[in-house]
Amino acid sequence: MSELEATPPGASARSAADAPPPHAPTSRPGEGADEGLLSVLRDDGSLDPATDPCLSDALLLRAYREIKRLRLLDARMLLLQRQGRVGFYGACTGQEATPIATALAVEPADWIFPALRESVMMLVRGFPLRTYVAQVFGNSGDLLQGRQMPSHMSGRQVNQVSWSSCIGPQLPQAVGAAWAAKLRRDSTVVVGFMGDGATSEPDFHSAMNFAAVVKAPCVMICQNNHWAISVPTDRQTASRTIAIKGRAYGVPSVRVDGNDVVAVYRAVSEAVARARGGGGPSFIEALTYRVGAHSSSDDPSRYRSQEEVDRWTQRDPLLRLGRHLAGRGLLDDAAESSLEAELNAEIAAAVAEVEAMGPPARETLFDDVYAELPWHLRDQRAELLRSPKAPAHGGGR
C-alpha cells in the first residue's frame, strides 16, 4: 500500500521509537498516539533502510546544491533589505527541503501554485537567477515590470503562478487548473502550496472538497512550520494533525518530515505519480520550522523562544543532507568551500547586474491589460511618451 493511502489514526510510517521533532503537534487526551512522520534521513545523516527510495548520487548532490544556493541567496537578499536596497523579502531558511525536493520531483509541464516560501522552485526548474533577483528589485529586468510585491515571483516559462499575500486563494486556483488539465485529457499535474495557517481559511476547505469530488490531478502540500506569522499551530486549529484535515475530505494524506529532502522527494513523487495516473488528489503535511522571521518586516523574538529555534536548528535540512553526502564520500570540506565560493560569486554577479538596471519604462503602464490596446489608451500612451520625464527620485539626478 502506498504511503499516500489513507492511514488510520495511530499508524506510523516510521519506528515508534523515533519521536516527532520538537514542537510537533501532539495527541490530545483520549485520542491515541500521534501519527508518525515519513522519514528517511536521520539527524546524523544516516538512512532508514525501510523508507529509503534509493536516490542517485547525482540527484542528492543536485538537491544539496539547490538548498545551499537558496540559503546563500536568502542571506544576501535580507542583507540588501536591511541596507535599504530592496524593500521587502521573505526568506525560506530552515524550510528549503520541501520546495527543492518538490521541484526535483515534478515534470517541466506541471504547474506550481506557490505560497510565500516556494518561489525558489522556479530556479530549480531553469528560471534565470538574474531575472529572479530583478523581481525583488522590481526594475526593468523584472518580467512583471515592478508591478508585484517582492518575493511574489512568477514565470510562464516554468509554469509557476504568483502567489497572493492574501492567505489561501492559490488553493482553489490550483485545483481549478488541475481540473482543466483533466478535462483536456493531458498529463499535467498541479501542485498547490500553503502554510499551516492557510488550512484555517475557507479557500482550503473549498479546494480540498472540490479536488476530492472531481478527482483533480493535483498535489496539495502544507508546509507546517508551526507559526502562522505569530500564531502557533495549536492556537489556530484543534485538529490533531494537519494531514487529518485532508482525510476528512476523502483525500489520501500523509505526514512527512519536511526537513528531510529525501523523504519529501519520495512522498511528492508518489503523489505526483498517483495524480498523473488518474488517482486524483493527494495532501502532504510537511512538518518543518521557520528558523528566521516570517518576513523582513517581522520580529520573531516577540512571540517565540530562542531555545525553540535552537532545537529546530539542530534538524537543519542542509546539515542533515550534508552529513549524508559526507558519509557517502560525496562531500568534504574542500568541496563545500568550493561550492559556497561558486554560488556566492553567481549571486553577487546577478545582484550587481540587476542593481545597475533602471526602473521599468513608463509606457509599460499600458501593457498586459488588453490583448489589443483600445484607442483611448493608445492615445494616452502616445501623450505620455510626448511628455517630459518626471524628475528622478532624490532630486532629479
PDB file of all heavy atoms in Angstrom, residues 203-234:
ATOM      1  N   ASP A 203     -10.794  29.015   1.784  1.00  0.00           N
ATOM      2  CA  ASP A 203     -10.292  28.576   0.485  1.00  0.00           C
ATOM      3  C   ASP A 203      -9.695  27.166   0.558  1.00  0.00           C
ATOM      4  O   ASP A 203      -9.785  26.392  -0.408  1.00  0.00           O
ATOM      5  CB  ASP A 203      -9.236  29.548  -0.047  1.00  0.00           C
ATOM      6  CG  ASP A 203      -9.855  30.769  -0.702  1.00  0.00           C
ATOM      7  OD1 ASP A 203     -10.995  30.660  -1.187  1.00  0.00           O
ATOM      8  OD2 ASP A 203      -9.197  31.823  -0.737  1.00  0.00           O
ATOM      9  N   PHE A 204      -9.061  26.829   1.669  1.00  0.00           N
ATOM     10  CA  PHE A 204      -8.501  25.485   1.820  1.00  0.00           C
ATOM     11  C   PHE A 204      -9.602  24.437   1.753  1.00  0.00           C
ATOM     12  O   PHE A 204      -9.490  23.429   1.041  1.00  0.00           O
ATOM     13  CB  PHE A 204      -7.743  25.375   3.143  1.00  0.00           C
ATOM     14  CG  PHE A 204      -7.399  23.966   3.535  1.00  0.00           C
ATOM     15  CD1 PHE A 204      -6.333  23.312   2.943  1.00  0.00           C
ATOM     16  CD2 PHE A 204      -8.154  23.279   4.490  1.00  0.00           C
ATOM     17  CE1 PHE A 204      -6.008  21.998   3.290  1.00  0.00           C
ATOM     18  CE2 PHE A 204      -7.838  21.974   4.846  1.00  0.00           C
ATOM     19  CZ  PHE A 204      -6.760  21.339   4.234  1.00  0.00           C
ATOM     20  N   HIS A 205     -10.672  24.663   2.476  1.00  0.00           N
ATOM     21  CA  HIS A 205     -11.747  23.668   2.554  1.00  0.00           C
ATOM     22  C   HIS A 205     -12.489  23.556   1.231  1.00  0.00           C
ATOM     23  O   HIS A 205     -12.824  22.443   0.796  1.00  0.00           O
ATOM     24  CB  HIS A 205     -12.670  24.032   3.708  1.00  0.00           C
ATOM     25  CG  HIS A 205     -11.964  24.050   5.031  1.00  0.00           C
ATOM     26  ND1 HIS A 205     -11.700  22.915   5.750  1.00  0.00           N
ATOM     27  CD2 HIS A 205     -11.413  25.080   5.730  1.00  0.00           C
ATOM     28  CE1 HIS A 205     -11.031  23.226   6.856  1.00  0.00           C
ATOM     29  NE2 HIS A 205     -10.849  24.535   6.865  1.00  0.00           N
ATOM     30  N   SER A 206     -12.711  24.677   0.578  1.00  0.00           N
ATOM     31  CA  SER A 206     -13.339  24.629  -0.744  1.00  0.00           C
ATOM     32  C   SER A 206     -12.467  23.861  -1.726  1.00  0.00           C
ATOM     33  O   SER A 206     -12.953  23.024  -2.502  1.00  0.00           O
ATOM     34  CB  SER A 206     -13.575  26.051  -1.273  1.00  0.00           C
ATOM     35  OG  SER A 206     -14.450  26.769  -0.433  1.00  0.00           O
ATOM     36  N   ALA A 207     -11.176  24.125  -1.690  1.00  0.00           N
ATOM     37  CA  ALA A 207     -10.251  23.473  -2.621  1.00  0.00           C
ATOM     38  C   ALA A 207     -10.177  21.973  -2.375  1.00  0.00           C
ATOM     39  O   ALA A 207     -10.226  21.170  -3.316  1.00  0.00           O
ATOM     40  CB  ALA A 207      -8.865  24.106  -2.497  1.00  0.00           C
ATOM     41  N   MET A 208     -10.043  21.567  -1.119  1.00  0.00           N
ATOM     42  CA  MET A 208      -9.906  20.150  -0.814  1.00  0.00           C
ATOM     43  C   MET A 208     -11.171  19.382  -1.177  1.00  0.00           C
ATOM     44  O   MET A 208     -11.104  18.278  -1.748  1.00  0.00           O
ATOM     45  CB  MET A 208      -9.577  19.961   0.669  1.00  0.00           C
ATOM     46  CG  MET A 208      -8.225  20.511   1.087  1.00  0.00           C
ATOM     47  SD  MET A 208      -6.828  19.744   0.248  1.00  0.00           S
ATOM     48  CE  MET A 208      -6.871  18.111   0.949  1.00  0.00           C
ATOM     49  N   ASN A 209     -12.329  19.940  -0.866  1.00  0.00           N
ATOM     50  CA  ASN A 209     -13.576  19.258  -1.178  1.00  0.00           C
ATOM     51  C   ASN A 209     -13.760  19.123  -2.689  1.00  0.00           C
ATOM     52  O   ASN A 209     -14.097  18.049  -3.198  1.00  0.00           O
ATOM     53  CB  ASN A 209     -14.752  20.010  -0.573  1.00  0.00           C
ATOM     54  CG  ASN A 209     -16.053  19.245  -0.717  1.00  0.00           C
ATOM     55  OD1 ASN A 209     -16.191  18.139  -0.218  1.00  0.00           O
ATOM     56  ND2 ASN A 209     -17.006  19.823  -1.424  1.00  0.00           N
ATOM     57  N   PHE A 210     -13.518  20.193  -3.420  1.00  0.00           N
ATOM     58  CA  PHE A 210     -13.690  20.169  -4.874  1.00  0.00           C
ATOM     59  C   PHE A 210     -12.701  19.207  -5.516  1.00  0.00           C
ATOM     60  O   PHE A 210     -13.057  18.436  -6.424  1.00  0.00           O
ATOM     61  CB  PHE A 210     -13.511  21.577  -5.441  1.00  0.00           C
ATOM     62  CG  PHE A 210     -14.038  21.740  -6.834  1.00  0.00           C
ATOM     63  CD1 PHE A 210     -15.377  21.985  -7.063  1.00  0.00           C
ATOM     64  CD2 PHE A 210     -13.191  21.631  -7.922  1.00  0.00           C
ATOM     65  CE1 PHE A 210     -15.867  22.121  -8.358  1.00  0.00           C
ATOM     66  CE2 PHE A 210     -13.664  21.764  -9.219  1.00  0.00           C
ATOM     67  CZ  PHE A 210     -15.013  22.012  -9.430  1.00  0.00           C
ATOM     68  N   ALA A 211     -11.453  19.230  -5.059  1.00  0.00           N
ATOM     69  CA  ALA A 211     -10.434  18.335  -5.616  1.00  0.00           C
ATOM     70  C   ALA A 211     -10.837  16.878  -5.431  1.00  0.00           C
ATOM     71  O   ALA A 211     -10.668  16.049  -6.338  1.00  0.00           O
ATOM     72  CB  ALA A 211      -9.090  18.603  -4.950  1.00  0.00           C
ATOM     73  N   ALA A 212     -11.373  16.549  -4.257  1.00  0.00           N
ATOM     74  CA  ALA A 212     -11.768  15.175  -3.990  1.00  0.00           C
ATOM     75  C   ALA A 212     -12.957  14.756  -4.842  1.00  0.00           C
ATOM     76  O   ALA A 212     -12.989  13.649  -5.384  1.00  0.00           O
ATOM     77  CB  ALA A 212     -12.095  15.006  -2.510  1.00  0.00           C
ATOM     78  N   VAL A 213     -13.923  15.650  -4.997  1.00  0.00           N
ATOM     79  CA  VAL A 213     -15.146  15.319  -5.730  1.00  0.00           C
ATOM     80  C   VAL A 213     -14.863  15.082  -7.213  1.00  0.00           C
ATOM     81  O   VAL A 213     -15.366  14.129  -7.818  1.00  0.00           O
ATOM     82  CB  VAL A 213     -16.201  16.423  -5.533  1.00  0.00           C
ATOM     83  CG1 VAL A 213     -17.373  16.227  -6.492  1.00  0.00           C
ATOM     84  CG2 VAL A 213     -16.704  16.428  -4.094  1.00  0.00           C
ATOM     85  N   VAL A 214     -14.044  15.964  -7.826  1.00  0.00           N
ATOM     86  CA  VAL A 214     -13.781  15.842  -9.268  1.00  0.00           C
ATOM     87  C   VAL A 214     -12.536  15.017  -9.560  1.00  0.00           C
ATOM     88  O   VAL A 214     -12.168  14.839 -10.715  1.00  0.00           O
ATOM     89  CB  VAL A 214     -13.667  17.230  -9.934  1.00  0.00           C
ATOM     90  CG1 VAL A 214     -14.916  18.050  -9.691  1.00  0.00           C
ATOM     91  CG2 VAL A 214     -12.423  17.988  -9.475  1.00  0.00           C
ATOM     92  N   LYS A 215     -11.874  14.521  -8.489  1.00  0.00           N
ATOM     93  CA  LYS A 215     -10.641  13.736  -8.636  1.00  0.00           C
ATOM     94  C   LYS A 215      -9.605  14.485  -9.487  1.00  0.00           C
ATOM     95  O   LYS A 215      -9.064  13.968 -10.457  1.00  0.00           O
ATOM     96  CB  LYS A 215     -10.933  12.358  -9.230  1.00  0.00           C
ATOM     97  CG  LYS A 215     -11.801  11.489  -8.332  1.00  0.00           C
ATOM     98  CD  LYS A 215     -11.832  10.063  -8.807  1.00  0.00           C
ATOM     99  CE  LYS A 215     -12.743   9.207  -7.927  1.00  0.00           C
ATOM    100  NZ  LYS A 215     -12.376   9.259  -6.499  1.00  0.00           N
ATOM    101  N   ALA A 216      -9.370  15.731  -9.084  1.00  0.00           N
ATOM    102  CA  ALA A 216      -8.430  16.585  -9.815  1.00  0.00           C
ATOM    103  C   ALA A 216      -7.002  16.055  -9.672  1.00  0.00           C
ATOM    104  O   ALA A 216      -6.605  15.617  -8.580  1.00  0.00           O
ATOM    105  CB  ALA A 216      -8.501  18.016  -9.287  1.00  0.00           C
ATOM    106  N   PRO A 217      -6.218  16.093 -10.747  1.00  0.00           N
ATOM    107  CA  PRO A 217      -4.824  15.621 -10.684  1.00  0.00           C
ATOM    108  C   PRO A 217      -3.916  16.655 -10.033  1.00  0.00           C
ATOM    109  O   PRO A 217      -3.145  17.346 -10.696  1.00  0.00           O
ATOM    110  CB  PRO A 217      -4.470  15.398 -12.154  1.00  0.00           C
ATOM    111  CG  PRO A 217      -5.313  16.385 -12.895  1.00  0.00           C
ATOM    112  CD  PRO A 217      -6.601  16.477 -12.125  1.00  0.00           C
ATOM    113  N   CYS A 218      -4.032  16.785  -8.721  1.00  0.00           N
ATOM    114  CA  CYS A 218      -3.252  17.798  -8.012  1.00  0.00           C
ATOM    115  C   CYS A 218      -2.632  17.207  -6.758  1.00  0.00           C
ATOM    116  O   CYS A 218      -3.084  16.188  -6.232  1.00  0.00           O
ATOM    117  CB  CYS A 218      -4.124  19.010  -7.658  1.00  0.00           C
ATOM    118  SG  CYS A 218      -5.514  18.637  -6.580  1.00  0.00           S
ATOM    119  N   VAL A 219      -1.589  17.874  -6.289  1.00  0.00           N
ATOM    120  CA  VAL A 219      -0.935  17.539  -5.032  1.00  0.00           C
ATOM    121  C   VAL A 219      -0.929  18.796  -4.188  1.00  0.00           C
ATOM    122  O   VAL A 219      -0.360  19.816  -4.596  1.00  0.00           O
ATOM    123  CB  VAL A 219       0.506  17.035  -5.251  1.00  0.00           C
ATOM    124  CG1 VAL A 219       1.154  16.688  -3.907  1.00  0.00           C
ATOM    125  CG2 VAL A 219       0.532  15.842  -6.193  1.00  0.00           C
ATOM    126  N   MET A 220      -1.578  18.762  -3.058  1.00  0.00           N
ATOM    127  CA  MET A 220      -1.646  19.911  -2.166  1.00  0.00           C
ATOM    128  C   MET A 220      -0.651  19.683  -1.033  1.00  0.00           C
ATOM    129  O   MET A 220      -0.683  18.639  -0.369  1.00  0.00           O
ATOM    130  CB  MET A 220      -3.067  20.073  -1.617  1.00  0.00           C
ATOM    131  CG  MET A 220      -4.153  20.026  -2.694  1.00  0.00           C
ATOM    132  SD  MET A 220      -3.977  21.321  -3.938  1.00  0.00           S
ATOM    133  CE  MET A 220      -4.700  22.697  -3.051  1.00  0.00           C
ATOM    134  N   ILE A 221       0.236  20.648  -0.832  1.00  0.00           N
ATOM    135  CA  ILE A 221       1.326  20.491   0.139  1.00  0.00           C
ATOM    136  C   ILE A 221       1.263  21.616   1.166  1.00  0.00           C
ATOM    137  O   ILE A 221       1.315  22.805   0.807  1.00  0.00           O
ATOM    138  CB  ILE A 221       2.703  20.501  -0.552  1.00  0.00           C
ATOM    139  CG1 ILE A 221       2.779  19.379  -1.599  1.00  0.00           C
ATOM    140  CG2 ILE A 221       3.818  20.349   0.480  1.00  0.00           C
ATOM    141  CD1 ILE A 221       4.076  19.384  -2.398  1.00  0.00           C
ATOM    142  N   CYS A 222       1.162  21.235   2.424  1.00  0.00           N
ATOM    143  CA  CYS A 222       1.180  22.209   3.521  1.00  0.00           C
ATOM    144  C   CYS A 222       2.550  22.182   4.174  1.00  0.00           C
ATOM    145  O   CYS A 222       2.977  21.153   4.701  1.00  0.00           O
ATOM    146  CB  CYS A 222       0.104  21.871   4.551  1.00  0.00           C
ATOM    147  SG  CYS A 222       0.201  22.905   6.043  1.00  0.00           S
ATOM    148  N   GLN A 223       3.238  23.300   4.141  1.00  0.00           N
ATOM    149  CA  GLN A 223       4.472  23.452   4.918  1.00  0.00           C
ATOM    150  C   GLN A 223       4.081  23.909   6.326  1.00  0.00           C
ATOM    151  O   GLN A 223       3.882  25.099   6.569  1.00  0.00           O
ATOM    152  CB  GLN A 223       5.404  24.474   4.264  1.00  0.00           C
ATOM    153  CG  GLN A 223       6.081  23.964   3.011  1.00  0.00           C
ATOM    154  CD  GLN A 223       7.512  24.458   2.923  1.00  0.00           C
ATOM    155  OE1 GLN A 223       8.370  24.054   3.716  1.00  0.00           O
ATOM    156  NE2 GLN A 223       7.778  25.332   1.971  1.00  0.00           N
ATOM    157  N   ASN A 224       3.952  22.946   7.206  1.00  0.00           N
ATOM    158  CA  ASN A 224       3.590  23.253   8.590  1.00  0.00           C
ATOM    159  C   ASN A 224       4.857  23.668   9.325  1.00  0.00           C
ATOM    160  O   ASN A 224       5.591  22.831   9.851  1.00  0.00           O
ATOM    161  CB  ASN A 224       2.941  22.041   9.248  1.00  0.00           C
ATOM    162  CG  ASN A 224       2.574  22.302  10.702  1.00  0.00           C
ATOM    163  OD1 ASN A 224       2.749  23.408  11.222  1.00  0.00           O
ATOM    164  ND2 ASN A 224       2.065  21.282  11.368  1.00  0.00           N
ATOM    165  N   ASN A 225       5.101  24.986   9.363  1.00  0.00           N
ATOM    166  CA  ASN A 225       6.303  25.486  10.041  1.00  0.00           C
ATOM    167  C   ASN A 225       6.008  25.953  11.466  1.00  0.00           C
ATOM    168  O   ASN A 225       6.827  26.606  12.092  1.00  0.00           O
ATOM    169  CB  ASN A 225       6.967  26.602   9.223  1.00  0.00           C
ATOM    170  CG  ASN A 225       6.142  27.876   9.159  1.00  0.00           C
ATOM    171  OD1 ASN A 225       5.187  28.070   9.918  1.00  0.00           O
ATOM    172  ND2 ASN A 225       6.505  28.774   8.249  1.00  0.00           N
ATOM    173  N   HIS A 226       4.812  25.598  11.956  1.00  0.00           N
ATOM    174  CA  HIS A 226       4.411  25.803  13.348  1.00  0.00           C
ATOM    175  C   HIS A 226       4.032  27.231  13.712  1.00  0.00           C
ATOM    176  O   HIS A 226       3.576  27.475  14.827  1.00  0.00           O
ATOM    177  CB  HIS A 226       5.494  25.304  14.318  1.00  0.00           C
ATOM    178  CG  HIS A 226       5.696  23.831  14.255  1.00  0.00           C
ATOM    179  ND1 HIS A 226       6.593  23.248  13.384  1.00  0.00           N
ATOM    180  CD2 HIS A 226       5.080  22.811  14.906  1.00  0.00           C
ATOM    181  CE1 HIS A 226       6.540  21.940  13.527  1.00  0.00           C
ATOM    182  NE2 HIS A 226       5.638  21.641  14.428  1.00  0.00           N
ATOM    183  N   TRP A 227       4.201  28.175  12.781  1.00  0.00           N
ATOM    184  CA  TRP A 227       3.873  29.557  13.112  1.00  0.00           C
ATOM    185  C   TRP A 227       3.179  30.229  11.935  1.00  0.00           C
ATOM    186  O   TRP A 227       3.788  30.474  10.905  1.00  0.00           O
ATOM    187  CB  TRP A 227       5.145  30.348  13.485  1.00  0.00           C
ATOM    188  CG  TRP A 227       5.723  29.941  14.794  1.00  0.00           C
ATOM    189  CD1 TRP A 227       6.759  29.089  15.021  1.00  0.00           C
ATOM    190  CD2 TRP A 227       5.252  30.352  16.090  1.00  0.00           C
ATOM    191  NE1 TRP A 227       6.973  28.932  16.364  1.00  0.00           N
ATOM    192  CE2 TRP A 227       6.073  29.700  17.047  1.00  0.00           C
ATOM    193  CE3 TRP A 227       4.237  31.194  16.526  1.00  0.00           C
ATOM    194  CZ2 TRP A 227       5.898  29.874  18.416  1.00  0.00           C
ATOM    195  CZ3 TRP A 227       4.065  31.363  17.892  1.00  0.00           C
ATOM    196  CH2 TRP A 227       4.887  30.725  18.827  1.00  0.00           C
ATOM    197  N   ALA A 228       1.888  30.505  12.105  1.00  0.00           N
ATOM    198  CA  ALA A 228       1.148  31.303  11.133  1.00  0.00           C
ATOM    199  C   ALA A 228       1.427  32.768  11.470  1.00  0.00           C
ATOM    200  O   ALA A 228       0.678  33.408  12.209  1.00  0.00           O
ATOM    201  CB  ALA A 228      -0.349  30.990  11.196  1.00  0.00           C
ATOM    202  N   ILE A 229       2.531  33.256  10.948  1.00  0.00           N
ATOM    203  CA  ILE A 229       3.166  34.521  11.363  1.00  0.00           C
ATOM    204  C   ILE A 229       3.492  34.409  12.854  1.00  0.00           C
ATOM    205  O   ILE A 229       4.498  33.811  13.218  1.00  0.00           O
ATOM    206  CB  ILE A 229       2.338  35.768  11.020  1.00  0.00           C
ATOM    207  CG1 ILE A 229       1.996  35.795   9.518  1.00  0.00           C
ATOM    208  CG2 ILE A 229       3.130  37.027  11.396  1.00  0.00           C
ATOM    209  CD1 ILE A 229       1.258  37.036   9.065  1.00  0.00           C
ATOM    210  N   SER A 230       2.648  34.909  13.741  1.00  0.00           N
ATOM    211  CA  SER A 230       2.985  34.863  15.165  1.00  0.00           C
ATOM    212  C   SER A 230       2.058  33.946  15.958  1.00  0.00           C
ATOM    213  O   SER A 230       2.126  33.925  17.192  1.00  0.00           O
ATOM    214  CB  SER A 230       2.920  36.283  15.757  1.00  0.00           C
ATOM    215  OG  SER A 230       1.624  36.831  15.588  1.00  0.00           O
ATOM    216  N   VAL A 231       1.203  33.196  15.280  1.00  0.00           N
ATOM    217  CA  VAL A 231       0.238  32.333  15.968  1.00  0.00           C
ATOM    218  C   VAL A 231       0.683  30.877  15.840  1.00  0.00           C
ATOM    219  O   VAL A 231       0.790  30.356  14.723  1.00  0.00           O
ATOM    220  CB  VAL A 231      -1.177  32.510  15.383  1.00  0.00           C
ATOM    221  CG1 VAL A 231      -2.176  31.608  16.121  1.00  0.00           C
ATOM    222  CG2 VAL A 231      -1.619  33.964  15.473  1.00  0.00           C
ATOM    223  N   PRO A 232       0.935  30.179  16.961  1.00  0.00           N
ATOM    224  CA  PRO A 232       1.363  28.780  16.871  1.00  0.00           C
ATOM    225  C   PRO A 232       0.231  27.892  16.361  1.00  0.00           C
ATOM    226  O   PRO A 232      -0.949  28.208  16.509  1.00  0.00           O
ATOM    227  CB  PRO A 232       1.756  28.443  18.309  1.00  0.00           C
ATOM    228  CG  PRO A 232       0.979  29.389  19.155  1.00  0.00           C
ATOM    229  CD  PRO A 232       0.858  30.660  18.354  1.00  0.00           C
ATOM    230  N   THR A 233       0.606  26.760  15.772  1.00  0.00           N
ATOM    231  CA  THR A 233      -0.382  25.874  15.155  1.00  0.00           C
ATOM    232  C   THR A 233      -1.468  25.465  16.133  1.00  0.00           C
ATOM    233  O   THR A 233      -2.654  25.434  15.782  1.00  0.00           O
ATOM    234  CB  THR A 233       0.314  24.616  14.602  1.00  0.00           C
ATOM    235  OG1 THR A 233       1.371  25.022  13.741  1.00  0.00           O
ATOM    236  CG2 THR A 233      -0.651  23.751  13.826  1.00  0.00           C
ATOM    237  N   ASP A 234      -1.092  25.160  17.368  1.00  0.00           N
ATOM    238  CA  ASP A 234      -2.099  24.671  18.309  1.00  0.00           C
ATOM    239  C   ASP A 234      -3.043  25.755  18.797  1.00  0.00           C
ATOM    240  O   ASP A 234      -4.005  25.471  19.509  1.00  0.00           O
ATOM    241  CB  ASP A 234      -1.437  23.954  19.494  1.00  0.00           C
ATOM    242  CG  ASP A 234      -0.475  24.839  20.268  1.00  0.00           C
ATOM    243  OD1 ASP A 234      -0.399  26.053  19.971  1.00  0.00           O
ATOM    244  OD2 ASP A 234       0.229  24.325  21.162  1.00  0.00           O
TER     245      ASP A 234
END
